Amino acid sequence: MLKNSKTDKLKKVEKVYSFWGRFPSLYGAQDAITFLGRAKTIRSRAVKKIGLKKGDKALEVACGSGRNFTYLVKDIGKNGFILGFDYSQEMLDAAKQLCERNSWNNIKLVQGDAAQLKITENNFDGVVSVLGISAIPDWEKALNRCYDVLHHAGRLVVCDARLFTGVLKILNPLIRLIYSKFAAWDPSKNIPEKMKEIFGNVEVENLNLDTFFIAISVKK
Ligand SMILES: C[S@@+](CC[C@H](N)C(=O)[O-])C[C@H]1O[C@@H](n2cnc3c(N)ncnc32)[C@H](O)[C@@H]1O
């Protein structure tokens, strides 16, 4: 029963992101709304928190159309390596086009379910996921896989969205409805708490009226 509902959720992910992958510029427009106009600031801040150095190996889980690659490439340089992993082939196709336009030759793109993440290039220096974990049906398993593929002292950084608190929470039912339908978003997941359980530590920074957070865990 539970397995079936996970399969249904993956089918929904496939359907929803097949659309966004075919129209990456529309995805870009909705990105500006989701981040309340601060997408560049928050994305670059999240990537900085991984603490990558030139030549490092980074994994982006649920990389989508590659909107964080520009910040990752800057940090790892030409001799580093990025693995972009996503369930949606259409999102990965958009990511591939972005890589070709920018001549980023050190990015490999792999399709699959992050809960079943089996990667030969293990021992990553850092793992990041932006707006990804909240969309992954079996997100707890996916976080465990992130732990497994990290080097000792490597960091997992998760940047994700939350519902409004305070007076603006009146908007939450509408936001939940729209983002569930069009982004397979599930805000009920307590991602930082699960990261603390797996890694034994987590630091959280809240941003954008607390509608965004960046959570960092270190593999000890
Ligand atoms: C809101 S998008 C975020 C994309 C990108 N990280 C960004 O910052 O724009 C959510 C992404 O999660 C991916 N996703 C959802 N479930 C997944 C799973 N089980 N395994 C891998 N990727 C998944 C979707 O295909 C989609 O590309």
Side-chain angles (χ1 to χ4, degrees):
M1 189 71 181
L2 194 64
K3 208 172 171 196
N4 276 343
S5 80
K6 293 246 162 80
T7 314
D8 289 348
K9 285 180 183 170
L10 270 179
K11 279 190 188 144
K12 179 174 174 182
V13 165
E14 198 176 2
K15 190 170 163 214
V16 165
Y17 287 99
S18 162
F19 171 80
W20 291 116
R22 280 181 285 125
F23 301 100
S25 47
L26 273 187
Y27 182 80
Q30 74 89 29
D31 203 44
I33 298 168
T34 305
F35 281 91
L36 305 175
R38 296 186 70 219
K40 279 188 185 163
T41 310
I42 296 177
R43 287 178 181 282
S44 62
R45 192 170 177 84
V47 170
K48 268 275 160 279
K49 300 261 181 195
I50 320 170
L52 293 167
K53 302 181 301 300
K54 296 276 181 268
D56 273 355
K57 256 167 55 168
L59 166 67
E60 183 170 357
V61 171
C63 65
S65 56
R67 297 188 78 81
N68 304 300
F69 288 171
T70 184
Y71 313 109
L72 287 164
V73 165
K74 210 165 144 199
D75 286 354
I76 60 153
K78 282 197 179 116
N79 296 323
F81 171 75
I82 298 163
L83 183 70
F85 191 89
D86 201 278
Y87 194 69
S88 163
Q89 189 54 55
E90 288 78 7
M91 287 298 260
L92 289 173
D93 292 344
K96 186 168 177 250
Q97 284 171 24
L98 183 75
C99 292
E100 285 168 359
R101 279 202 303 278
N102 288 282
S103 305
W104 292 328
N105 303 316
N106 53 349
I107 302 180
K108 182 175 167 186
L109 301 168
V110 175
Q111 189 276 330
D113 176 7
Q116 313 295 332
L117 192 66
K118 281 193 193 86
I119 287 170
T120 45
E121 298 95 341
N122 58 358
N123 293 335
F124 285 91
D125 300 292
V127 178
V128 67
S129 192
V130 179
L131 293 173
I133 304 296
S134 58
I136 296 174
D138 208 345
W139 62 284
E140 290 165 312
K141 244 191 191 170
L143 286 178
N144 273 298
R145 295 285 78 77
C146 292
Y147 178 89
D148 293 342
V149 300
L150 267 174
H151 262 313
H152 174 75
R155 289 183 190 191
L156 168 66
V157 173
V158 176
C159 174
D160 227 301
R162 289 196 186 107
L163 289 165
F164 280 114
T165 52
V167 282
L168 289 174
K169 72 178 177 205
I170 194 166
L171 299 171
N172 286 347
L174 184 64
I175 290 172
R176 194 190 272 267
L177 188 79
I178 294 172
Y179 279 85
S180 161
K181 193 167 169 53
F182 299 107
W185 183 52
D186 175 2
S188 68
K189 301 167 179 170
N190 192 335
I191 299 168
E193 192 180 277
K194 191 67 195 174
M195 287 168 71
K196 185 162 186 197
E197 193 186 310
I198 297 168
F199 285 78
N201 64 85
V202 71
E203 247 179 57
V204 183
E205 183 184 11
N206 295 311
L207 301 136
N208 267 16
L209 306 169
D210 290 352
T211 57
F212 264 85
F213 68 86
I214 300 175
I216 307 123
S217 290
V218 185
K219 183 164 177 175
K220 296 209 168 144

